[in-house]
Amino acid sequence: MKTGLIWKEWRQNVWVFVAFIILVIGYGQIEVHQTIESHNTLQKYYQSEEFALSQKSKDEDLYVDETEIEDSLKVYADMHVPATVFSMILVLFMGLKITVFEKNKRADYIAQAMPYSKFTIIMHKLLLPLVIIIGACLLYSVTTYLTFTANVDAHYLFTLNEWLISNLNALLLLLLIFSFSFMMGTLIGDVVVAVAATGALLLSAMVITVGTLRYNIIGFYAYFKNSTIESISNSDDLSFLFDRAPYANYIILIILVVVFLILGCLFYSKASLENNGLMLMLPKARMPILIIGSLYTALILTTLNIDNDNRVSDAMVKSYLLHFGLTALIAFAIGWVLFYKVKKLRRI
């Protein structure tokens, strides 16, 4: 381990790392105390005379029974979703900060002037962020769990196993966001383009792509089976794709994290300092990105326009393929103009 490189990365990014730890743990504690306060307020209400009188004034079929009370007082392990979303934004910034932001400030000139290989530099560049992300998630998990157990009756609280699984999901998601933003930051040299492209791709992947891809897969499967989407959705034919065991999702996330990190290291090792500030650090990657990007754009914007109760007809499939092809061609043309006609975007 090269202590000079470690110190350099710490000195350049210490405020980002410290702010990440403080904000994640602090935001988590705020969220936990709000959940506990809401739980205690609701529990006091159920134990009050006001609730007893309201029960007496209701018809018997409108009574709030014990099961409903138990469910409303239950504290679930996945109630820290807002904190996870907040952390996703922070790790996205962290991944871009150690790559494209530093390139635009010429900080990588100092690193590459040191007597170390690019591989050594990039490994040390990754070390601190990964340690900080994992360490902050562990601290968040421990502190919030202790706060919950100290203030909420165990009867209403999630189990330790549920809490660990929920936090593992959040950690893998954060690592995925970081690794993807790290890869994009080593591929794109302009800050504005890197932030916009990374945010747009992540948002589309999480919000649009999964649902659209699932719907299209079911639709084409129904077409080849001469069936309806509703009957396919209610069958187990595609369970191997959509109803995977929990550990399979973890494996997929880990594979994606590793792939993005490897691609980021590869892009960093191949990029030249002469291309700092350009839209693409690797000019040879233009055509592959054009092809993949145009197909991805067509995939998320094109959906089989069918009724769940009707069979998928030849006309519907032809219409989908036509729209898919036109969208891909338009996206390719726009990308071609940007990549080959606009020499470079403004430097930051």
Side-chain angles (χ1 to χ4, degrees), residues 107-242:
D108 51 340
Y109 281 87
I110 300 174
Q112 295 191 27
M114 294 175 139
Y116 306 122
S117 66
K118 283 188 175 182
F119 179 77
T120 302
I121 293 172
I122 201 67
M123 287 296 101
H124 284 73
K125 190 177 286 290
L126 280 174
L127 180 62
L128 282 175
L130 291 176
V131 170
I132 294 298
I133 292 172
I134 295 173
C137 287
L138 288 175
L139 286 174
Y140 169 87
S141 179
V142 172
T143 54
T144 50
Y145 182 77
L146 292 176
T147 305
F148 270 130
T149 53
N151 293 276
V152 178
D153 191 285
H155 177 70
Y156 301 112
L157 203 59
F158 45 77
T159 65
L160 178 60
N161 186 52
E162 291 172 338
W163 182 247
L164 292 176
I165 291 175
S166 177
N167 281 271
L168 177 60
N169 289 331
L171 174 60
L172 290 176
L173 184 58
L174 292 182
L175 290 176
L176 178 66
I177 301 295
F178 170 77
S179 61
F180 184 78
S181 62
F182 169 78
M183 179 195 70
M184 295 294 289
T186 57
L187 179 64
I188 301 175
D190 183 88
V191 170
V192 175
V193 178
V195 173
T198 305
L201 286 172
L202 286 173
L203 187 63
S204 65
M206 291 186 293
V207 177
I208 303 174
T209 307
V210 174
T212 302
L213 189 59
R214 178 190 177 99
Y215 187 79
N216 287 336
I217 289 174
I218 295 175
F220 275 102
Y221 186 80
Y223 171 73
F224 290 115
K225 295 282 289 187
N226 194 27
S227 183
T228 64
I229 284 187
E230 185 176 6
S231 62
I232 295 297
S233 300
N234 295 330
S235 69
D236 296 328
D237 290 1
L238 298 177
S239 60
F240 68 96
L241 281 178
F242 306 126

